[in-house]
Amino acid sequence: MLTRMEAGGENALQRLPQLRWEEADAVMSQLVSSVQAIMASTAGYIVSTSCKHIIDDQHWLSSAYTQFAVPYFIYDIYAMFLCHWHKHQVKGHGGDDEGPRALGSTWAVVRGYLHKEFLMVLHHAVMVLVCFPLSVVWRQGKGDFFLGCMLMAEVSTPFVCLGKILIQYKQQHTLLHKVNGALMLLSFLCCRVLLFPYLYWAYGRHAGLPLLAVPLAIPAHINLGAALLLAPQLYWFFLICRGACRLFWPRGSRPPSPYQTQD
């Protein structure tokens, strides 16, 4: 009976217009992510440069854009699932670890999606369920400078999206792909990895403290939150560096891409 229910559920999902995912839809999804990233980083730049006092100064964009971005994170989780679903409906597709097993049922595809994109789905869920309430309610209008800097972390996303589009159209060996990979590596390092030391340094300058003394001068839960946000960035940066090394110094006939990372 369970097998029949799974088969019926899969057939029902396949009949839904929303799951008729095509290659052009994947490109459109990357373009949407790029537009969102450009808007977020622009808003972040405006907010961070407008706040002279990094604690008390406020800017209306900080709360407005935070509320605007929540639907995007929900959409992106859904779009990533549709892309994953489409890959498993393409005849002869065999690039995922789940392979033919994931074709057996809808729930197997869902499990495969969560297994492959677990860190990204967790990141988006935390943004919606944790970071959004904290930024809107808990901050009480303080720290807009820091929120603006966090929004500027999206600077690297358009390069990631362009790389995925180039891969989709089999342009891995072009000069554009290599230049884009280098820009992605540099922007990710500066705007996502080095962002956190910069925020600690900015607070230390405001409070008259050396950088190494800042973690001891702020509440422990802030250090914990920063560590939890930094951890996936370091993991993704490691994947980018590994992929970039194989891209620029390939040992095999076809170098893998450095774009197997965040959205």
Side-chain angles (χ1 to χ4, degrees), residues 130-154:
V130 179
C131 293
F132 171 69
L134 289 178
S135 63
V136 173
V137 179
W138 179 75
R139 290 191 311 116
Q140 296 182 347
K142 294 184 179 295
D144 280 14
F145 168 81
F146 296 100
L147 180 58
C149 291
M150 296 292 289
L151 289 174
M152 291 181 64
E154 292 292 328

PDB file of all heavy atoms in Angstrom, residues 130-154:
ATOM      1  N   VAL A 130      15.284  32.431  12.198  1.00  0.00           N
ATOM      2  CA  VAL A 130      16.108  32.939  13.303  1.00  0.00           C
ATOM      3  C   VAL A 130      16.579  34.368  13.040  1.00  0.00           C
ATOM      4  O   VAL A 130      16.295  35.283  13.820  1.00  0.00           O
ATOM      5  CB  VAL A 130      17.314  32.012  13.559  1.00  0.00           C
ATOM      6  CG1 VAL A 130      18.174  32.579  14.699  1.00  0.00           C
ATOM      7  CG2 VAL A 130      16.861  30.605  13.889  1.00  0.00           C
ATOM      8  N   CYS A 131      17.304  34.560  11.926  1.00  0.00           N
ATOM      9  CA  CYS A 131      17.901  35.877  11.677  1.00  0.00           C
ATOM     10  C   CYS A 131      16.860  36.964  11.439  1.00  0.00           C
ATOM     11  O   CYS A 131      17.046  38.107  11.874  1.00  0.00           O
ATOM     12  CB  CYS A 131      18.855  35.786  10.486  1.00  0.00           C
ATOM     13  SG  CYS A 131      20.304  34.772  10.817  1.00  0.00           S
ATOM     14  N   PHE A 132      15.767  36.621  10.762  1.00  0.00           N
ATOM     15  CA  PHE A 132      14.736  37.633  10.516  1.00  0.00           C
ATOM     16  C   PHE A 132      14.103  38.128  11.814  1.00  0.00           C
ATOM     17  O   PHE A 132      14.039  39.345  12.044  1.00  0.00           O
ATOM     18  CB  PHE A 132      13.666  37.085   9.571  1.00  0.00           C
ATOM     19  CG  PHE A 132      12.474  37.982   9.429  1.00  0.00           C
ATOM     20  CD1 PHE A 132      12.571  39.195   8.774  1.00  0.00           C
ATOM     21  CD2 PHE A 132      11.250  37.621   9.971  1.00  0.00           C
ATOM     22  CE1 PHE A 132      11.472  40.036   8.653  1.00  0.00           C
ATOM     23  CE2 PHE A 132      10.148  38.449   9.855  1.00  0.00           C
ATOM     24  CZ  PHE A 132      10.262  39.657   9.198  1.00  0.00           C
ATOM     25  N   PRO A 133      13.625  37.230  12.714  1.00  0.00           N
ATOM     26  CA  PRO A 133      13.080  37.746  13.986  1.00  0.00           C
ATOM     27  C   PRO A 133      14.112  38.514  14.800  1.00  0.00           C
ATOM     28  O   PRO A 133      13.782  39.526  15.428  1.00  0.00           O
ATOM     29  CB  PRO A 133      12.631  36.469  14.715  1.00  0.00           C
ATOM     30  CG  PRO A 133      12.424  35.466  13.631  1.00  0.00           C
ATOM     31  CD  PRO A 133      13.454  35.777  12.596  1.00  0.00           C
ATOM     32  N   LEU A 134      15.368  38.054  14.788  1.00  0.00           N
ATOM     33  CA  LEU A 134      16.391  38.749  15.555  1.00  0.00           C
ATOM     34  C   LEU A 134      16.646  40.148  15.014  1.00  0.00           C
ATOM     35  O   LEU A 134      16.784  41.107  15.783  1.00  0.00           O
ATOM     36  CB  LEU A 134      17.695  37.946  15.542  1.00  0.00           C
ATOM     37  CG  LEU A 134      17.716  36.647  16.345  1.00  0.00           C
ATOM     38  CD1 LEU A 134      19.060  35.954  16.200  1.00  0.00           C
ATOM     39  CD2 LEU A 134      17.413  36.901  17.817  1.00  0.00           C
ATOM     40  N   SER A 135      16.706  40.275  13.695  1.00  0.00           N
ATOM     41  CA  SER A 135      17.017  41.572  13.100  1.00  0.00           C
ATOM     42  C   SER A 135      15.864  42.552  13.215  1.00  0.00           C
ATOM     43  O   SER A 135      16.077  43.769  13.296  1.00  0.00           O
ATOM     44  CB  SER A 135      17.389  41.396  11.629  1.00  0.00           C
ATOM     45  OG  SER A 135      16.299  40.870  10.897  1.00  0.00           O
ATOM     46  N   VAL A 136      14.623  42.056  13.242  1.00  0.00           N
ATOM     47  CA  VAL A 136      13.460  42.937  13.283  1.00  0.00           C
ATOM     48  C   VAL A 136      13.038  43.253  14.716  1.00  0.00           C
ATOM     49  O   VAL A 136      12.679  44.388  15.042  1.00  0.00           O
ATOM     50  CB  VAL A 136      12.283  42.310  12.501  1.00  0.00           C
ATOM     51  CG1 VAL A 136      11.016  43.133  12.667  1.00  0.00           C
ATOM     52  CG2 VAL A 136      12.636  42.195  11.020  1.00  0.00           C
ATOM     53  N   VAL A 137      13.088  42.249  15.605  1.00  0.00           N
ATOM     54  CA  VAL A 137      12.561  42.412  16.965  1.00  0.00           C
ATOM     55  C   VAL A 137      13.675  42.593  17.985  1.00  0.00           C
ATOM     56  O   VAL A 137      13.698  43.569  18.739  1.00  0.00           O
ATOM     57  CB  VAL A 137      11.678  41.204  17.345  1.00  0.00           C
ATOM     58  CG1 VAL A 137      11.145  41.361  18.764  1.00  0.00           C
ATOM     59  CG2 VAL A 137      10.541  41.031  16.356  1.00  0.00           C
ATOM     60  N   TRP A 138      14.611  41.662  18.021  1.00  0.00           N
ATOM     61  CA  TRP A 138      15.594  41.641  19.093  1.00  0.00           C
ATOM     62  C   TRP A 138      16.532  42.841  19.042  1.00  0.00           C
ATOM     63  O   TRP A 138      16.929  43.377  20.068  1.00  0.00           O
ATOM     64  CB  TRP A 138      16.402  40.343  19.015  1.00  0.00           C
ATOM     65  CG  TRP A 138      17.454  40.220  20.065  1.00  0.00           C
ATOM     66  CD1 TRP A 138      17.288  39.926  21.388  1.00  0.00           C
ATOM     67  CD2 TRP A 138      18.862  40.414  19.875  1.00  0.00           C
ATOM     68  NE1 TRP A 138      18.493  39.911  22.040  1.00  0.00           N
ATOM     69  CE2 TRP A 138      19.480  40.216  21.132  1.00  0.00           C
ATOM     70  CE3 TRP A 138      19.653  40.731  18.768  1.00  0.00           C
ATOM     71  CZ2 TRP A 138      20.848  40.317  21.305  1.00  0.00           C
ATOM     72  CZ3 TRP A 138      21.022  40.832  18.938  1.00  0.00           C
ATOM     73  CH2 TRP A 138      21.606  40.627  20.206  1.00  0.00           C
ATOM     74  N   ARG A 139      16.921  43.297  17.845  1.00  0.00           N
ATOM     75  CA  ARG A 139      17.874  44.415  17.739  1.00  0.00           C
ATOM     76  C   ARG A 139      17.310  45.719  18.277  1.00  0.00           C
ATOM     77  O   ARG A 139      18.052  46.582  18.743  1.00  0.00           O
ATOM     78  CB  ARG A 139      18.274  44.637  16.277  1.00  0.00           C
ATOM     79  CG  ARG A 139      19.135  43.590  15.675  1.00  0.00           C
ATOM     80  CD  ARG A 139      19.698  44.041  14.333  1.00  0.00           C
ATOM     81  NE  ARG A 139      18.687  44.589  13.447  1.00  0.00           N
ATOM     82  CZ  ARG A 139      18.659  45.852  13.030  1.00  0.00           C
ATOM     83  NH1 ARG A 139      19.571  46.707  13.432  1.00  0.00           N
ATOM     84  NH2 ARG A 139      17.706  46.282  12.217  1.00  0.00           N
ATOM     85  N   GLN A 140      16.004  45.907  18.175  1.00  0.00           N
ATOM     86  CA  GLN A 140      15.337  47.130  18.636  1.00  0.00           C
ATOM     87  C   GLN A 140      15.945  48.380  17.999  1.00  0.00           C
ATOM     88  O   GLN A 140      16.169  49.400  18.665  1.00  0.00           O
ATOM     89  CB  GLN A 140      15.387  47.220  20.160  1.00  0.00           C
ATOM     90  CG  GLN A 140      14.625  46.091  20.850  1.00  0.00           C
ATOM     91  CD  GLN A 140      14.642  46.202  22.359  1.00  0.00           C
ATOM     92  OE1 GLN A 140      15.416  46.981  22.928  1.00  0.00           O
ATOM     93  NE2 GLN A 140      13.788  45.434  23.012  1.00  0.00           N
ATOM     94  N   GLY A 141      16.218  48.290  16.696  1.00  0.00           N
ATOM     95  CA  GLY A 141      16.700  49.456  15.960  1.00  0.00           C
ATOM     96  C   GLY A 141      18.172  49.753  16.092  1.00  0.00           C
ATOM     97  O   GLY A 141      18.638  50.773  15.575  1.00  0.00           O
ATOM     98  N   LYS A 142      18.931  48.905  16.754  1.00  0.00           N
ATOM     99  CA  LYS A 142      20.358  49.153  16.931  1.00  0.00           C
ATOM    100  C   LYS A 142      21.173  48.241  16.002  1.00  0.00           C
ATOM    101  O   LYS A 142      20.739  47.154  15.645  1.00  0.00           O
ATOM    102  CB  LYS A 142      20.775  48.922  18.387  1.00  0.00           C
ATOM    103  CG  LYS A 142      20.164  49.924  19.357  1.00  0.00           C
ATOM    104  CD  LYS A 142      20.685  49.707  20.762  1.00  0.00           C
ATOM    105  CE  LYS A 142      20.108  50.723  21.733  1.00  0.00           C
ATOM    106  NZ  LYS A 142      20.538  52.101  21.430  1.00  0.00           N
ATOM    107  N   GLY A 143      22.361  48.703  15.655  1.00  0.00           N
ATOM    108  CA  GLY A 143      23.274  47.882  14.870  1.00  0.00           C
ATOM    109  C   GLY A 143      22.958  47.800  13.392  1.00  0.00           C
ATOM    110  O   GLY A 143      23.287  46.802  12.753  1.00  0.00           O
ATOM    111  N   ASP A 144      22.337  48.840  12.838  1.00  0.00           N
ATOM    112  CA  ASP A 144      22.047  48.816  11.397  1.00  0.00           C
ATOM    113  C   ASP A 144      23.326  48.718  10.564  1.00  0.00           C
ATOM    114  O   ASP A 144      23.317  48.137   9.473  1.00  0.00           O
ATOM    115  CB  ASP A 144      21.274  50.078  10.999  1.00  0.00           C
ATOM    116  CG  ASP A 144      19.794  49.974  11.342  1.00  0.00           C
ATOM    117  OD1 ASP A 144      19.441  49.059  12.109  1.00  0.00           O
ATOM    118  OD2 ASP A 144      19.007  50.792  10.833  1.00  0.00           O
ATOM    119  N   PHE A 145      24.414  49.286  11.074  1.00  0.00           N
ATOM    120  CA  PHE A 145      25.692  49.198  10.367  1.00  0.00           C
ATOM    121  C   PHE A 145      26.087  47.743  10.141  1.00  0.00           C
ATOM    122  O   PHE A 145      26.488  47.351   9.036  1.00  0.00           O
ATOM    123  CB  PHE A 145      26.776  49.925  11.154  1.00  0.00           C
ATOM    124  CG  PHE A 145      28.170  49.651  10.670  1.00  0.00           C
ATOM    125  CD1 PHE A 145      28.684  50.330   9.575  1.00  0.00           C
ATOM    126  CD2 PHE A 145      28.971  48.714  11.304  1.00  0.00           C
ATOM    127  CE1 PHE A 145      29.963  50.077   9.117  1.00  0.00           C
ATOM    128  CE2 PHE A 145      30.257  48.457  10.857  1.00  0.00           C
ATOM    129  CZ  PHE A 145      30.758  49.145   9.764  1.00  0.00           C
ATOM    130  N   PHE A 146      25.976  46.930  11.180  1.00  0.00           N
ATOM    131  CA  PHE A 146      26.362  45.523  11.081  1.00  0.00           C
ATOM    132  C   PHE A 146      25.431  44.762  10.139  1.00  0.00           C
ATOM    133  O   PHE A 146      25.871  43.907   9.367  1.00  0.00           O
ATOM    134  CB  PHE A 146      26.365  44.885  12.469  1.00  0.00           C
ATOM    135  CG  PHE A 146      27.388  45.473  13.395  1.00  0.00           C
ATOM    136  CD1 PHE A 146      27.019  46.407  14.342  1.00  0.00           C
ATOM    137  CD2 PHE A 146      28.718  45.108  13.312  1.00  0.00           C
ATOM    138  CE1 PHE A 146      27.960  46.958  15.199  1.00  0.00           C
ATOM    139  CE2 PHE A 146      29.670  45.646  14.160  1.00  0.00           C
ATOM    140  CZ  PHE A 146      29.296  46.585  15.106  1.00  0.00           C
ATOM    141  N   LEU A 147      24.144  45.068  10.208  1.00  0.00           N
ATOM    142  CA  LEU A 147      23.196  44.424   9.303  1.00  0.00           C
ATOM    143  C   LEU A 147      23.494  44.784   7.851  1.00  0.00           C
ATOM    144  O   LEU A 147      23.434  43.934   6.959  1.00  0.00           O
ATOM    145  CB  LEU A 147      21.765  44.824   9.664  1.00  0.00           C
ATOM    146  CG  LEU A 147      20.658  44.217   8.793  1.00  0.00           C
ATOM    147  CD1 LEU A 147      20.709  42.694   8.837  1.00  0.00           C
ATOM    148  CD2 LEU A 147      19.285  44.722   9.240  1.00  0.00           C
ATOM    149  N   GLY A 148      23.847  46.054   7.611  1.00  0.00           N
ATOM    150  CA  GLY A 148      24.198  46.459   6.260  1.00  0.00           C
ATOM    151  C   GLY A 148      25.418  45.714   5.743  1.00  0.00           C
ATOM    152  O   GLY A 148      25.452  45.289   4.581  1.00  0.00           O
ATOM    153  N   CYS A 149      26.413  45.540   6.599  1.00  0.00           N
ATOM    154  CA  CYS A 149      27.605  44.790   6.196  1.00  0.00           C
ATOM    155  C   CYS A 149      27.254  43.341   5.890  1.00  0.00           C
ATOM    156  O   CYS A 149      27.791  42.747   4.942  1.00  0.00           O
ATOM    157  CB  CYS A 149      28.655  44.855   7.293  1.00  0.00           C
ATOM    158  SG  CYS A 149      29.395  46.492   7.536  1.00  0.00           S
ATOM    159  N   MET A 150      26.351  42.754   6.677  1.00  0.00           N
ATOM    160  CA  MET A 150      25.931  41.374   6.430  1.00  0.00           C
ATOM    161  C   MET A 150      25.231  41.245   5.090  1.00  0.00           C
ATOM    162  O   MET A 150      25.395  40.246   4.377  1.00  0.00           O
ATOM    163  CB  MET A 150      25.023  40.897   7.565  1.00  0.00           C
ATOM    164  CG  MET A 150      25.688  40.826   8.920  1.00  0.00           C
ATOM    165  SD  MET A 150      26.936  39.538   9.038  1.00  0.00           S
ATOM    166  CE  MET A 150      25.917  38.081   9.036  1.00  0.00           C
ATOM    167  N   LEU A 151      24.439  42.244   4.722  1.00  0.00           N
ATOM    168  CA  LEU A 151      23.762  42.197   3.427  1.00  0.00           C
ATOM    169  C   LEU A 151      24.761  42.242   2.273  1.00  0.00           C
ATOM    170  O   LEU A 151      24.523  41.659   1.204  1.00  0.00           O
ATOM    171  CB  LEU A 151      22.771  43.358   3.307  1.00  0.00           C
ATOM    172  CG  LEU A 151      21.514  43.279   4.167  1.00  0.00           C
ATOM    173  CD1 LEU A 151      20.699  44.561   4.047  1.00  0.00           C
ATOM    174  CD2 LEU A 151      20.656  42.071   3.777  1.00  0.00           C
ATOM    175  N   MET A 152      25.877  42.895   2.479  1.00  0.00           N
ATOM    176  CA  MET A 152      26.884  42.984   1.425  1.00  0.00           C
ATOM    177  C   MET A 152      27.586  41.661   1.174  1.00  0.00           C
ATOM    178  O   MET A 152      28.351  41.532   0.204  1.00  0.00           O
ATOM    179  CB  MET A 152      27.905  44.072   1.772  1.00  0.00           C
ATOM    180  CG  MET A 152      27.344  45.479   1.717  1.00  0.00           C
ATOM    181  SD  MET A 152      28.586  46.734   2.093  1.00  0.00           S
ATOM    182  CE  MET A 152      29.722  46.508   0.728  1.00  0.00           C
ATOM    183  N   ALA A 153      27.323  40.664   1.993  1.00  0.00           N
ATOM    184  CA  ALA A 153      27.875  39.329   1.734  1.00  0.00           C
ATOM    185  C   ALA A 153      27.357  38.748   0.430  1.00  0.00           C
ATOM    186  O   ALA A 153      27.961  37.829  -0.139  1.00  0.00           O
ATOM    187  CB  ALA A 153      27.536  38.390   2.897  1.00  0.00           C
ATOM    188  N   GLU A 154      26.243  39.289  -0.071  1.00  0.00           N
ATOM    189  CA  GLU A 154      25.649  38.776  -1.304  1.00  0.00           C
ATOM    190  C   GLU A 154      26.411  39.188  -2.560  1.00  0.00           C
ATOM    191  O   GLU A 154      26.031  38.805  -3.662  1.00  0.00           O
ATOM    192  CB  GLU A 154      24.202  39.260  -1.421  1.00  0.00           C
ATOM    193  CG  GLU A 154      23.254  38.677  -0.386  1.00  0.00           C
ATOM    194  CD  GLU A 154      23.042  37.184  -0.593  1.00  0.00           C
ATOM    195  OE1 GLU A 154      23.076  36.724  -1.755  1.00  0.00           O
ATOM    196  OE2 GLU A 154      22.860  36.470   0.409  1.00  0.00           O
TER     197      GLU A 154
END
